[in-house]
Amino acid sequence: MAGALAADPGIARVIGVDTAPPPSPTRDGGLPLGRTEFVRIDLRTSDIARVIAAEDVDTVVHMSLVSGPAKSRSAMMEHNVIGTMQLLAACQRSATVRRVVVRSTTAVYGSSPHAPAVFTEDTEPVDVPHTGYAKDAIEVEGYVRGFARRRPDVATSTLRFANFMGPRVDSPLTRYFSQPVLPTVFGFDPRLQFVHEDDAVEVLCRMALEDHPGVFNVAGDGVLLLSQCVRRAGRPTVPVPSPAFEALGVFARNTGVVDFSPEQLALMSHGRAVDSSRLAAALGWKPKFSTAAAFDDFLRSHGIAGRWPLAMVEWLSGLMTRR
């Protein structure tokens, strides 16, 4: 996103803030950032306020919501929640900030057997997540709503993204689909929804340049059943009872193979789907990639699709199920 904004001649400056420098395009395979200026800052400190004040920042895009592995759960919560509090406090004191965009997640709706078929932005979750990344996102959104009430003159947008998918996405879900054999929850075939990384960047850039206050779901059109994802990936599956699947998730986290949090385990049982029509109407926009197209692009880029003939996948899956 920083590279896309830096390429826009209508934008005077782009400043990127993080605790570590971005990867080098030539040495580390990072994306080119153009004229983006980097400032090393820990959001949990008040240093961010000095940057916003000194540089006369008018638009703040907060994307640093950690969902992957962290040193500890407490460190992850501090980064997500305390970091957001410090950033919003700095924006509230600023006389120049006119637009704030915050990345959130559809995980705030939870995954439950009692959930509606499709969540809209106004749907109240049936089972509120009480752990991990989803709980942090709920707290973050609460602070964003408080900021919007205190600064009604600032256009404040919250974007609830479905699971990111694409060539450069490294997430627990992409790591899961990259495994040679996929464990699934016996008796469940959850609906999954993805948003392609390119569509996500486009939405974030549009929101950074236009005033669209409110909460918006962001997802590719359509859904995929887990069984359909498995067929596309050409992977054999091992259906296991729910307690065993949870135990596998704990084992995977401890070994560092796949970081499956409790909310992700719930997603693999009950799935989740959201309605993005509010975003489409506000932006007059349609994603370039559907959920299926985003997943297929991920598979192609990683050379996953077609490794196993479909007949072999079905034979192995049936054999493992019988055993």
Side-chain angles (χ1 to χ4, degrees):
M1 179 190 176
L5 292 175
D8 187 337
I11 298 175
R13 298 178 68 189
V14 179
I15 302 172
V17 174
D18 206 340
T19 55
S24 167
T26 55
R27 185 179 64 254
D28 306 316
L31 291 170
L33 301 180
R35 55 191 174 90
T36 302
E37 305 167 48
F38 172 72
V39 180
R40 187 195 296 266
I41 283 180
D42 189 333
L43 279 185
R44 294 173 295 180
T45 70
S46 59
D47 292 342
I48 186 63
R50 290 197 288 271
V51 174
I52 291 176
E55 306 300 340
D56 293 333
V57 172
D58 57 55
T59 300
V60 173
V61 184
H62 180 37
M63 297 191 294
S64 188
L65 188 62
V66 175
S67 60
K71 293 181 180 179
S72 66
R73 168 64 189 131
S74 60
M76 178 179 172
M77 182 186 68
E78 285 182 10
H79 179 91
N80 289 339
V81 179
I82 305 302
T84 300
M85 290 175 61
Q86 290 283 8
L87 178 63
L88 292 177
C91 292
Q92 184 174 332
R93 293 193 296 268
S94 171
T96 59
V97 171
R98 290 291 175 264
R99 189 179 298 120
V100 172
V101 180
V102 178
R103 170 203 159 193
S104 187
T105 168
T106 57
V108 298
Y109 298 117
S111 296
S112 163
H114 310 293
V118 178
F119 287 98
T120 69
E121 292 84 353
D122 300 321
T123 306
E124 292 293 333
V126 178
D127 295 318
V128 178
H130 296 289
T131 60
Y133 167 58
K135 179 178 182 293
D136 291 351
I138 290 173
E139 291 191 40
V140 164
E141 288 198 10
Y143 290 119
V144 172
R145 287 193 296 272
F147 168 79
R149 287 193 297 269
R150 291 187 295 271
R151 288 293 304 269
D153 57 311
V154 176
T156 305
S157 307
T158 300
L159 302 175
R160 293 173 177 167
F161 285 97
N163 289 284
F164 294 115
M165 193 61 66
R168 292 181 176 271
V169 176
D170 179 18
S171 70
L173 208 54
T174 59
R175 293 180 187 181
Y176 168 80
F177 286 116
S178 299
Q179 301 305 306
V181 179
L182 306 180
T184 60
V185 183
F186 182 76
F188 292 90
D189 195 9
R191 294 174 305 146
L192 302 177
Q193 207 171 26
F194 308 125
V195 57
H196 193 276
E197 56 189 88
D198 292 347
D199 287 327
V201 169
E202 184 177 351
V203 168
L204 285 163
C205 289
R206 287 282 301 273
M207 286 292 185
L209 298 173
E210 305 170 11
D211 288 346
H212 298 288
V215 179
F216 301 90
N217 293 330
V218 189
D221 292 339
V223 298
L224 281 176
L225 297 174
L226 177 58
S227 60
Q228 293 173 316
C229 293
V230 168
R231 286 173 177 269
R232 278 175 148 82
R235 293 293 201 241
T237 62
V238 182
V240 297
S242 181
F245 190 89
E246 185 173 353
L248 283 173
V250 173
F251 174 77
R253 284 201 306 276
N254 292 338
T255 57
V257 176
V258 180
D259 183 59
F260 253 27
S261 62
E263 63 266 23
Q264 288 159 341
L265 294 174
L267 177 69
M268 299 305 287
S269 296
H270 308 294
R272 181 172 54 244
V274 301
D275 175 20
S276 299
S277 59
R278 177 183 293 181
L279 177 73
L283 298 183
W285 173 85
K286 182 179 177 61
K288 295 183 178 67
F289 291 82
S290 66
T291 287
F295 188 66
D296 288 344
D297 192 37
F298 159 73
L299 295 177
R300 281 192 299 270
S301 65
H302 287 75
I304 295 175
R307 285 189 183 179
W308 293 77
L310 184 57
M312 179 65 74
V313 172
E314 292 175 339
W315 179 80
L316 284 171
S317 297
L319 179 63
M320 292 175 180
T321 301
R322 288 193 296 272
R323 288 186 175 181

